[in-house]
Amino acid sequence: MIRDILFFCFSLIPGAAHMSMGFFKRGVQLMITTIGAFSLLISFNTEQLVAVVCLPLWFFSFFDGYNIRRQIAAGNTIKDEEVYSYDIFFNNKKYLGLGLLLLGLIGLINSLPNSLIISLFGVRSQNIYWMLRRSIVPLFLIIIGLYLLIKSRKK
């Protein structure tokens, strides 16, 4: 009974249940992907996408942990494999570039309207600082996305 409660508590943290069963590759990948997606979406000024991206990752981690536990209880041997291959990102530079470009544009669009309107009407110079600060990451993503797109066309 205590093990079930403890496993449920671990399942609430993406990847922790997997690591508690000894599946460290899978658990760390799920944990880094979920927390990384959450952090990046917040820093890209795309908070509205957190529910769309992070909730499915959390649900997958939660139910995958219970599925693996059920398979182990049934006597099946489970290998510690990654959820997805990193080759997805390295072999498809065109799609990675498009994704980064899209995230950068969304982040830039989200960061400019309020700050731009406030700074145009001259409400403190501190707002210009925040406008520039919120725009750096989206502009950086746009530059990287364009670079990857241009590089993928040359091949």
Side-chain angles (χ1 to χ4, degrees):
M1 171 107 172
I2 292 177
R3 283 187 169 197
D4 294 336
I5 293 170
L6 194 59
F7 187 79
F8 175 75
C9 291
F10 282 141
S11 294
L12 295 176
I13 303 168
H18 296 83
M19 289 189 280
S20 73
M21 292 184 289
F23 298 106
F24 287 96
K25 284 182 186 176
R26 192 172 191 90
V28 168
Q29 189 179 40
L30 285 168
M31 189 176 285
I32 288 174
T33 302
T34 306
I35 294 171
F38 180 79
S39 302
L40 291 175
L41 288 172
I42 296 296
S43 69
F44 297 157
N45 309 319
T46 53
E47 294 88 3
Q48 67 272 20
L49 294 177
V50 168
V52 175
V53 175
C54 293
L55 277 179
L57 287 170
W58 182 81
F59 279 121
F60 176 80
S61 176
F62 184 85
F63 291 114
D64 187 52
Y66 273 99
N67 182 39
I68 289 175
R69 185 176 183 203
R70 186 175 43 86
Q71 288 183 8
I72 290 172
N76 296 332
T77 304
I78 309 293
K79 290 173 58 178
D80 186 15
E81 296 176 332
E82 298 163 335
V83 177
Y84 57 87
S85 173
Y86 296 108
D87 293 337
I88 294 170
F89 301 113
F90 299 120
N91 292 338
N92 300 318
K93 291 182 181 170
K94 179 180 177 182
Y95 297 117
L96 180 62
L98 282 171
L100 290 174
L101 184 65
L102 182 67
L103 272 177
L105 287 172
I106 290 171
L108 189 63
I109 289 168
N110 283 340
S111 69
L112 286 182
N114 296 332
S115 302
L116 189 60
I117 290 169
I118 291 170
S119 65
L120 285 176
F121 293 111
V123 182
R124 295 191 210 152
S125 61
Q126 185 179 11
N127 291 326
I128 294 173
Y129 165 76
W130 285 107
M131 179 187 72
L132 291 174
R133 184 172 176 187
R134 289 187 62 126
S135 302
I136 288 173
V137 172
L139 287 172
F140 184 67
L141 284 175
I142 291 170
I143 291 168
I144 291 174
L146 288 173
Y147 171 76
L148 288 173
L149 285 173
I150 291 169
K151 193 173 178 179
S152 70
R153 283 190 178 169
K154 288 182 181 178
K155 287 185 177 182

